[in-house]
Amino acid sequence: MATLLHIDSSVFPTSASASRAVAEAFRSTWEEQHPNGTVIYRDLSAVPAPHLTADAHTAGLSDPSEHTPEQAAAFAERVTFIEELEQADAVLIGAPMYNYTIPSTLKAWLDNVILIGRTAGATPTAKGTPVTVIASRGGSYEPGTPREPYEYVRNYLTAIFADALGMDLEFIVPELTMAPHNPAMSELVPLYQASREKALADASLKAKALTDRLAA
């Protein structure tokens, strides 16, 4: 049966997190379609991936037979993350925008899984695997908006997942999530609500379409 790798990185619980809520809608539909499937779940806020160290980095560039004990231990952790990515039939990523970019915990996970000569390079081992990113944000960074130049989430993750790892990338973007909490954005609440409803619906639709595609 199919395996879904689900990564959350929001610091907030589902009740207060757009990325977690939308990811949950995707996952619920996925599990309905794959009742006997496997979900590998990592909550990077609760259990962060270790930041890349010199030992973990250099171990990825050298022969395992030459590793020091420190390199071997550090690289073993990287391999765990890498194998989860390689074994997944689909990947779901919750990536809220914090200070114009992704959470540091998600960046740490990416630093562990990106390995030239394996997951990245001429023949990336997760090439073609579908990855859906829930890129929530407090405002709007769409083309034509004043903050468009500060969109460092989708462009960065496109460079990583599509270009470096060769994965089949799609985004779902619930935006204006700060509107209910910021009085200065109160007039945008209806747009926030519409964006959230669309994101939840899109999550279910994409999960269903993906399960149908994988079953074909």
Side-chain angles (χ1 to χ4, degrees), residues 55 58-73 75-76 79 115 118:
D55 284 330
T58 55
L61 303 175
S62 58
D63 190 293
S65 65
E66 301 173 354
H67 289 175
T68 66
E70 293 77 16
Q71 286 177 315
F75 191 59
V79 169
L115 181 59
R118 184 165 177 174

Side-chain angles (χ1 to χ4, degrees), residues 166-179:
M167 300 177 73
D168 183 7
L169 172 63
E170 288 196 64
F171 286 101
I172 298 174
V173 186
E175 61 176 12
L176 301 168
T177 62
M178 285 300 297

Side-chain angles (χ1 to χ4, degrees), residues 8-12 20 42-49 105:
D8 270 329
S9 61
S10 172
V11 298
F12 298 105
R20 286 182 185 269
R42 286 196 176 273
D43 185 340
L44 299 179
S45 179
V47 184
T105 51

Side-chain angles (χ1 to χ4, degrees), residues 38-185:
T38 298
V39 175
I40 301 170
Y41 179 61
R42 286 196 176 273
D43 185 340
L44 299 179
S45 179
V47 184
H51 285 289
L52 199 64
T53 63
D55 284 330
H57 175 68
T58 55
L61 303 175
S62 58
D63 190 293
S65 65
E66 301 173 354
H67 289 175
T68 66
E70 293 77 16
Q71 286 177 315
F75 191 59
E77 285 191 282
R78 289 190 70 184
V79 169
T80 297
F81 295 121
I82 288 169
E83 288 180 343
E84 288 176 350
L85 180 69
E86 292 173 333
Q87 293 165 8
D89 295 292
V91 180
L92 173 64
I93 307 281
M97 178 186 280
Y98 291 164
N99 298 316
Y100 304 117
T101 189
I102 62 173
S104 61
T105 51
L106 181 55
K107 177 62 163 61
W109 178 81
L110 288 169
D111 286 342
N112 277 280
V113 300
I114 298 169
L115 181 59
I116 300 297
R118 184 165 177 174
T119 58
T123 56
T125 50
K127 183 177 181 178
T129 301
V131 52
T132 303
V133 174
I134 315 300
S136 59
R137 61 275 315 279
S140 180
Y141 298 78
E142 294 301 299
T145 63
R147 291 182 178 263
E148 178 186 356
Y150 300 99
E151 211 306 325
Y152 302 122
V153 173
R154 279 183 291 184
N155 54 4
Y156 170 66
L157 293 180
T158 296
I160 295 300
F161 287 119
D163 300 339
L165 303 186
M167 300 177 73
D168 183 7
L169 172 63
E170 288 196 64
F171 286 101
I172 298 174
V173 186
E175 61 176 12
L176 301 168
T177 62
M178 285 300 297
H181 313 288
N182 184 349
M185 298 175 66

